PDB file of all heavy atoms in Angstrom:
ATOM      1  N   THR A 136      61.715 -39.007-180.508  1.00 77.00           N
ATOM      2  CA  THR A 136      60.774 -39.873-179.787  1.00 77.00           C
ATOM      3  C   THR A 136      61.295 -41.308-179.639  1.00 77.00           C
ATOM      4  O   THR A 136      60.781 -42.062-178.807  1.00 77.00           O
ATOM      5  CB  THR A 136      59.421 -39.893-180.521  1.00 77.00           C
ATOM      6  OG1 THR A 136      59.623 -40.381-181.860  1.00 77.00           O
ATOM      7  CG2 THR A 136      58.827 -38.493-180.568  1.00 77.00           C
ATOM      8  N   ASP A 137      62.289 -41.659-180.434  1.00 76.00           N
ATOM      9  CA  ASP A 137      62.867 -43.006-180.387  1.00 76.00           C
ATOM     10  C   ASP A 137      64.018 -42.987-179.379  1.00 76.00           C
ATOM     11  O   ASP A 137      65.054 -42.355-179.583  1.00 76.00           O
ATOM     12  CB  ASP A 137      63.368 -43.410-181.771  1.00 76.00           C
ATOM     13  CG  ASP A 137      63.899 -44.826-181.804  1.00 76.00           C
ATOM     14  OD1 ASP A 137      63.744 -45.540-180.785  1.00 76.00           O
ATOM     15  OD2 ASP A 137      64.465 -45.246-182.833  1.00 76.00           O
ATOM     16  N   LYS A 138      63.860 -43.711-178.293  1.00 78.00           N
ATOM     17  CA  LYS A 138      64.855 -43.738-177.217  1.00 78.00           C
ATOM     18  C   LYS A 138      65.792 -44.932-177.266  1.00 78.00           C
ATOM     19  O   LYS A 138      66.628 -45.122-176.383  1.00 78.00           O
ATOM     20  CB  LYS A 138      64.152 -43.723-175.841  1.00 78.00           C
ATOM     21  CG  LYS A 138      63.286 -42.484-175.606  1.00 78.00           C
ATOM     22  CD  LYS A 138      64.104 -41.204-175.700  1.00 78.00           C
ATOM     23  CE  LYS A 138      63.234 -39.973-175.435  1.00 78.00           C
ATOM     24  NZ  LYS A 138      64.020 -38.707-175.535  1.00 78.00           N
ATOM     25  N   SER A 139      65.699 -45.734-178.319  1.00 84.00           N
ATOM     26  CA  SER A 139      66.555 -46.898-178.440  1.00 84.00           C
ATOM     27  C   SER A 139      67.938 -46.486-178.939  1.00 84.00           C
ATOM     28  O   SER A 139      68.107 -45.477-179.646  1.00 84.00           O
ATOM     29  CB  SER A 139      65.959 -47.932-179.396  1.00 84.00           C
ATOM     30  OG  SER A 139      65.793 -47.375-180.699  1.00 84.00           O
ATOM     31  N   ILE A 140      68.959 -47.271-178.561  1.00 86.00           N
ATOM     32  CA  ILE A 140      70.342 -46.975-178.948  1.00 86.00           C
ATOM     33  C   ILE A 140      70.500 -47.099-180.466  1.00 86.00           C
ATOM     34  O   ILE A 140      69.992 -48.037-181.073  1.00 86.00           O
ATOM     35  CB  ILE A 140      71.314 -47.909-178.228  1.00 86.00           C
ATOM     36  CG1 ILE A 140      71.299 -47.636-176.725  1.00 86.00           C
ATOM     37  CG2 ILE A 140      72.726 -47.754-178.763  1.00 86.00           C
ATOM     38  CD1 ILE A 140      72.181 -48.547-175.913  1.00 86.00           C
ATOM     39  N   ASP A 141      71.219 -46.153-181.050  1.00 87.00           N
ATOM     40  CA  ASP A 141      71.552 -46.224-182.470  1.00 87.00           C
ATOM     41  C   ASP A 141      72.673 -47.250-182.648  1.00 87.00           C
ATOM     42  O   ASP A 141      73.855 -46.933-182.507  1.00 87.00           O
ATOM     43  CB  ASP A 141      71.994 -44.856-182.977  1.00 87.00           C
ATOM     44  CG  ASP A 141      72.144 -44.786-184.491  1.00 87.00           C
ATOM     45  OD1 ASP A 141      72.173 -45.871-185.121  1.00 87.00           O
ATOM     46  OD2 ASP A 141      72.267 -43.682-185.030  1.00 87.00           O
ATOM     47  N   VAL A 142      72.311 -48.490-182.939  1.00 90.00           N
ATOM     48  CA  VAL A 142      73.267 -49.600-183.002  1.00 90.00           C
ATOM     49  C   VAL A 142      74.296 -49.387-184.105  1.00 90.00           C
ATOM     50  O   VAL A 142      75.493 -49.688-183.943  1.00 90.00           O
ATOM     51  CB  VAL A 142      72.537 -50.936-183.153  1.00 90.00           C
ATOM     52  CG1 VAL A 142      73.523 -52.079-183.273  1.00 90.00           C
ATOM     53  CG2 VAL A 142      71.586 -51.170-182.007  1.00 90.00           C
ATOM     54  N   THR A 143      73.837 -48.878-185.248  1.00 91.00           N
ATOM     55  CA  THR A 143      74.741 -48.671-186.390  1.00 91.00           C
ATOM     56  C   THR A 143      75.855 -47.700-186.008  1.00 91.00           C
ATOM     57  O   THR A 143      77.051 -47.984-186.254  1.00 91.00           O
ATOM     58  CB  THR A 143      73.977 -48.103-187.611  1.00 91.00           C
ATOM     59  OG1 THR A 143      72.923 -49.005-187.953  1.00 91.00           O
ATOM     60  CG2 THR A 143      74.910 -47.927-188.783  1.00 91.00           C
ATOM     61  N   TYR A 144      75.488 -46.585-185.394  1.00 92.00           N
ATOM     62  CA  TYR A 144      76.485 -45.613-184.968  1.00 92.00           C
ATOM     63  C   TYR A 144      77.428 -46.224-183.933  1.00 92.00           C
ATOM     64  O   TYR A 144      78.646 -46.043-184.000  1.00 92.00           O
ATOM     65  CB  TYR A 144      75.774 -44.380-184.379  1.00 92.00           C
ATOM     66  CG  TYR A 144      76.713 -43.404-183.702  1.00 92.00           C
ATOM     67  CD1 TYR A 144      77.335 -42.401-184.426  1.00 92.00           C
ATOM     68  CD2 TYR A 144      76.968 -43.490-182.326  1.00 92.00           C
ATOM     69  CE1 TYR A 144      78.201 -41.490-183.808  1.00 92.00           C
ATOM     70  CE2 TYR A 144      77.827 -42.599-181.707  1.00 92.00           C
ATOM     71  CZ  TYR A 144      78.418 -41.608-182.440  1.00 92.00           C
ATOM     72  OH  TYR A 144      79.282 -40.719-181.821  1.00 92.00           O
ATOM     73  N   LEU A 145      76.876 -46.961-182.962  1.00 92.00           N
ATOM     74  CA  LEU A 145      77.671 -47.539-181.880  1.00 92.00           C
ATOM     75  C   LEU A 145      78.688 -48.537-182.422  1.00 92.00           C
ATOM     76  O   LEU A 145      79.878 -48.473-182.072  1.00 92.00           O
ATOM     77  CB  LEU A 145      76.749 -48.208-180.868  1.00 92.00           C
ATOM     78  CG  LEU A 145      77.443 -48.938-179.701  1.00 92.00           C
ATOM     79  CD1 LEU A 145      78.274 -47.967-178.886  1.00 92.00           C
ATOM     80  CD2 LEU A 145      76.415 -49.638-178.841  1.00 92.00           C
ATOM     81  N   VAL A 146      78.252 -49.430-183.295  1.00 93.00           N
ATOM     82  CA  VAL A 146      79.161 -50.454-183.844  1.00 93.00           C
ATOM     83  C   VAL A 146      80.259 -49.820-184.662  1.00 93.00           C
ATOM     84  O   VAL A 146      81.442 -50.152-184.540  1.00 93.00           O
ATOM     85  CB  VAL A 146      78.362 -51.487-184.669  1.00 93.00           C
ATOM     86  CG1 VAL A 146      79.319 -52.422-185.419  1.00 93.00           C
ATOM     87  CG2 VAL A 146      77.429 -52.289-183.783  1.00 93.00           C
ATOM     88  N   LEU A 147      79.891 -48.865-185.532  1.00 94.00           N
ATOM     89  CA  LEU A 147      80.876 -48.208-186.368  1.00 94.00           C
ATOM     90  C   LEU A 147      81.881 -47.406-185.530  1.00 94.00           C
ATOM     91  O   LEU A 147      83.080 -47.404-185.818  1.00 94.00           O
ATOM     92  CB  LEU A 147      80.192 -47.295-187.389  1.00 94.00           C
ATOM     93  CG  LEU A 147      79.449 -47.990-188.541  1.00 94.00           C
ATOM     94  CD1 LEU A 147      78.724 -46.970-189.400  1.00 94.00           C
ATOM     95  CD2 LEU A 147      80.420 -48.784-189.391  1.00 94.00           C
ATOM     96  N   ALA A 148      81.373 -46.757-184.490  1.00 93.00           N
ATOM     97  CA  ALA A 148      82.271 -45.949-183.639  1.00 93.00           C
ATOM     98  C   ALA A 148      83.289 -46.869-182.958  1.00 93.00           C
ATOM     99  O   ALA A 148      84.494 -46.527-182.897  1.00 93.00           O
ATOM    100  CB  ALA A 148      81.458 -45.179-182.604  1.00 93.00           C
ATOM    101  N   ILE A 149      82.859 -47.996-182.419  1.00 94.00           N
ATOM    102  CA  ILE A 149      83.771 -48.904-181.728  1.00 94.00           C
ATOM    103  C   ILE A 149      84.775 -49.506-182.700  1.00 94.00           C
ATOM    104  O   ILE A 149      85.972 -49.601-182.414  1.00 94.00           O
ATOM    105  CB  ILE A 149      82.973 -50.006-180.995  1.00 94.00           C
ATOM    106  CG1 ILE A 149      82.205 -49.392-179.825  1.00 94.00           C
ATOM    107  CG2 ILE A 149      83.902 -51.099-180.489  1.00 94.00           C
ATOM    108  CD1 ILE A 149      81.332 -50.360-179.071  1.00 94.00           C
ATOM    109  N   VAL A 150      84.304 -49.911-183.892  1.00 94.00           N
ATOM    110  CA  VAL A 150      85.208 -50.491-184.887  1.00 94.00           C
ATOM    111  C   VAL A 150      86.260 -49.491-185.319  1.00 94.00           C
ATOM    112  O   VAL A 150      87.448 -49.816-185.452  1.00 94.00           O
ATOM    113  CB  VAL A 150      84.404 -51.017-186.105  1.00 94.00           C
ATOM    114  CG1 VAL A 150      85.343 -51.390-187.247  1.00 94.00           C
ATOM    115  CG2 VAL A 150      83.552 -52.210-185.709  1.00 94.00           C
ATOM    116  N   MET A 151      85.826 -48.240-185.541  1.00 94.00           N
ATOM    117  CA  MET A 151      86.787 -47.196-185.948  1.00 94.00           C
ATOM    118  C   MET A 151      87.840 -46.950-184.874  1.00 94.00           C
ATOM    119  O   MET A 151      89.029 -46.791-185.158  1.00 94.00           O
ATOM    120  CB  MET A 151      86.039 -45.889-186.271  1.00 94.00           C
ATOM    121  CG  MET A 151      85.092 -45.957-187.439  1.00 94.00           C
ATOM    122  SD  MET A 151      85.918 -46.384-189.006  1.00 94.00           S
ATOM    123  CE  MET A 151      84.478 -46.457-190.073  1.00 94.00           C
ATOM    124  N   ARG A 152      87.396 -46.896-183.617  1.00 94.00           N
ATOM    125  CA  ARG A 152      88.338 -46.672-182.537  1.00 94.00           C
ATOM    126  C   ARG A 152      89.321 -47.844-182.404  1.00 94.00           C
ATOM    127  O   ARG A 152      90.502 -47.639-182.119  1.00 94.00           O
ATOM    128  CB  ARG A 152      87.586 -46.472-181.217  1.00 94.00           C
ATOM    129  CG  ARG A 152      86.842 -45.170-181.124  1.00 94.00           C
ATOM    130  CD  ARG A 152      87.758 -43.976-180.919  1.00 94.00           C
ATOM    131  NE  ARG A 152      88.287 -43.906-179.556  1.00 94.00           N
ATOM    132  CZ  ARG A 152      89.169 -42.989-179.154  1.00 94.00           C
ATOM    133  NH1 ARG A 152      89.641 -42.100-180.003  1.00 94.00           N
ATOM    134  NH2 ARG A 152      89.581 -42.964-177.889  1.00 94.00           N
ATOM    135  N   ILE A 153      88.840 -49.052-182.607  1.00 95.00           N
ATOM    136  CA  ILE A 153      89.727 -50.228-182.555  1.00 95.00           C
ATOM    137  C   ILE A 153      90.797 -50.143-183.628  1.00 95.00           C
ATOM    138  O   ILE A 153      91.986 -50.370-183.376  1.00 95.00           O
ATOM    139  CB  ILE A 153      88.904 -51.520-182.679  1.00 95.00           C
ATOM    140  CG1 ILE A 153      88.069 -51.766-181.437  1.00 95.00           C
ATOM    141  CG2 ILE A 153      89.818 -52.719-182.957  1.00 95.00           C
ATOM    142  CD1 ILE A 153      87.114 -52.937-181.529  1.00 95.00           C
ATOM    143  N   LEU A 154      90.393 -49.776-184.853  1.00 95.00           N
ATOM    144  CA  LEU A 154      91.356 -49.699-185.954  1.00 95.00           C
ATOM    145  C   LEU A 154      92.313 -48.541-185.779  1.00 95.00           C
ATOM    146  O   LEU A 154      93.490 -48.624-186.141  1.00 95.00           O
ATOM    147  CB  LEU A 154      90.603 -49.611-187.272  1.00 95.00           C
ATOM    148  CG  LEU A 154      89.801 -50.853-187.647  1.00 95.00           C
ATOM    149  CD1 LEU A 154      88.924 -50.615-188.875  1.00 95.00           C
ATOM    150  CD2 LEU A 154      90.741 -52.033-187.886  1.00 95.00           C
TER     151      LEU A 154
END
Side-chain angles (χ1 to χ4, degrees):
T136 59
D137 184 7
K138 299 301 181 181
S139 60
I140 294 177
D141 188 347
V142 178
T143 303
Y144 171 87
L145 177 61
V146 171
L147 288 175
I149 291 176
V150 170
M151 296 299 177
R152 289 286 285 177
I153 289 174
L154 293 172

